[in-house]
Amino acid sequence: MKEKSHVLKKLFLSTLYLSTFTFGGGYVIVTLLKNRFVDELHWIDENEMLDLVAIAQSSPGAIAVNGAIVVGYKLAGIPGILCSILGAIIPPFLILTAVSFFYEAFKENFIIQAMLSGMKSGVGAVIASVVYDMGSGIVKKRDGVLIGVMGAAFVANYFFKVNVIFIILVTAVLGAVRTIIREKKGGRA
Amino acid sequence: MVYLQLFLAFLQIGAFSFGGGYAAMPLIQAQVIERYGWMNPAEFADLVTIAEMTPGPIAVNSATFVGNQVGGIGGALVATAGCILPSCIFVTVLAYVYTKYRTMGLLQGILESLRPAVVAMIATAGLTILIPAFFASGSVSFANGNFQIRPVLYFLAALFLLRKKKIDPIKVMVGCGVAEAVVQVVQTFT
């Protein structure tokens, strides 16, 4: 029981902390969740984290919220979901409520503007670092199809703005077909 | 009545925005401006700016902001609840299926090929943030004044701190923001 309450407390505090400082979209918080739960706490392994990201990604709604829910579920079931949602929602809720009262002053404040623009570089670096780690993990498997999927998904997503749901569906079908072919040839996947 | 409208409007936004924040923008616009007239287009542009300048998902930020403007704190609460309810249901069901069947060969095969696609999408998100930070016009070109050297230096410094010094990512991000604020204050007052 003590173990469980420790997990719940950690989940709530982690999502609260990450959500407070996460500027720039859902992938940033997903990246930070990975940092906290995979690299620091070792509660989730890296492949499983990628699966959880795929779940967050293929559900409707904000990726940051979905990411928090899926990590909460994985670590502590329904109570985990409640803790991580509360953690993820409280900071934007309080901040936006405050901002909606002081909007004009906030928009004109040039120190806030400067901080936000500087933070973009830092956010980009955090994402680049995670992409490097995860991408090299995939390249190391020496599976041409997987490397091809990574390249093709990037080109489709970045250059052709193909909807992520479509990319996920196509890669899921590809994975299913490959597995069926492999299992027919004998030898399990 | 306005509470119910707020709840339903953001419930729809939450349920149909696949693919993250920017996918939610047109849905928010459709509900908030066109359907209910809670905002005019100029206020909506302000909303987008606020949502981008503050931490948190755009859809959740919008729900809180619009809810507050239309129905006070109670409005903000019901709008936010509506916005995240579909996520709770979908994600929990998918996560349940995943934990139950993850050892199955077929699901393993599907997940194996999804992982590289997820990495690619994270890379896209990174570039979408970095390119407008590095190039003033928002697109890659080295015409005079377009390429900004300072963000690139922050980026390289941040990478160094993250990878070689293993500094906490949030400290690195906030550090970049503080550095730029200091530079701009110094530039303005000297």
Side-chain angles (χ1 to χ4, degrees), chain A residues 32-102:
Chain A
L32 295 171
L33 284 171
K34 183 228 168 228
N35 242 299
R36 171 65 49 93
F37 291 105
V38 178
D39 303 335
E40 279 174 31
L41 297 171
H42 306 288
W43 286 356
I44 304 177
D45 76 52
E46 181 155 334
N47 276 336
E48 200 173 2
M49 190 66 204
L50 278 174
D51 298 341
L52 298 182
V53 176
I55 291 174
Q57 168 80 262
S58 32
S59 308
I63 292 180
V65 175
N66 295 355
I69 296 174
V70 79
V71 168
Y73 180 84
K74 148 81 196 156
L75 293 175
I78 304 286
I81 295 181
L82 293 177
C83 288
S84 57
I85 285 188
L86 277 181
I89 291 300
I90 288 174
F93 191 86
L94 293 182
I95 292 169
L96 260 290
T97 301
V99 166
S100 74
F101 289 115
F102 303 107

Side-chain angles (χ1 to χ4, degrees), chain B residues 53-113:
Chain B
M53 283 164 65
T54 46
I58 289 184
V60 176
N61 287 348
S62 310
T64 308
F65 190 81
V66 175
N68 261 311
Q69 301 282 337
V70 177
I73 297 282
L77 282 173
V78 288
T80 306
C83 180
I84 60 171
L85 185 64
S87 288
C88 298
I89 297 169
F90 274 84
V91 177
T92 310
V93 169
L94 279 179
Y96 173 77
V97 171
Y98 166 76
T99 32
K100 201 155 187 207
Y101 298 105
R102 60 180 296 225
T103 48
M104 208 177 80
L106 187 62
L107 191 64
Q108 283 284 316
I110 292 173
L111 290 171
E112 183 191 51
S113 77

